[in-house]
């Protein structure tokens, strides 16, 4: 299987993204973000622009494993 087109939505130095989940309508991507020196958080990325629209973070908790509700109106994370 050949991949005809790959596109990077977002990147940053010393940052890894994981557990990506597309919203049901395909407009947003939720992903774990792990940055050097910071606790993991979850970010919501707009597909069209690659902009981080929202960050789900807590200074004393690891926020990981995003999942969209089937209606796409909310995001659940552990």
């Amino acid at each position: 299987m050949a991949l005809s087109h790959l596109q990077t939505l977002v990147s940053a130095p010393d940052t890894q993204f994981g557990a990506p989940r597309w919203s049901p309508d395909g407009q947003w991507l939720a992903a774990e973000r792990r940055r050097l020196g910071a606790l993991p958080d979850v970010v919501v990325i707009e597909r069209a622009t690659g902009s981080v629209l929202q960050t789900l973070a807590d200074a004393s908790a690891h926020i990981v494993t995003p999942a969209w509700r089937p209606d796409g109106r909310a995001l659940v994370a552990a």
Side-chain angles (χ1 to χ4, degrees):
M1 177 169 110
L3 299 175
S4 61
H5 180 72
L6 296 176
Q7 179 181 353
T8 300
L9 290 180
V10 66
S11 67
D14 298 321
T15 303
Q16 295 178 341
F17 294 90
R21 302 290 185 265
W22 287 107
S23 62
D25 65 4
Q27 298 301 311
W28 300 286
L29 181 69
E32 292 178 13
R33 178 175 64 178
R34 296 178 182 265
R35 296 177 291 170
L36 191 61
L39 290 174
D41 55 15
V42 169
V43 293
V44 177
I45 303 160
E46 185 177 29
R47 180 182 190 167
T49 66
S51 299
V52 174
L53 298 179
Q54 186 156 12
T55 302
L56 307 160
D58 186 308
S60 61
H62 292 237
I63 300 180
V64 295
T65 319
W68 291 95
R69 273 190 4 190
D71 64 8
R73 296 186 64 194
L75 188 63
V76 179

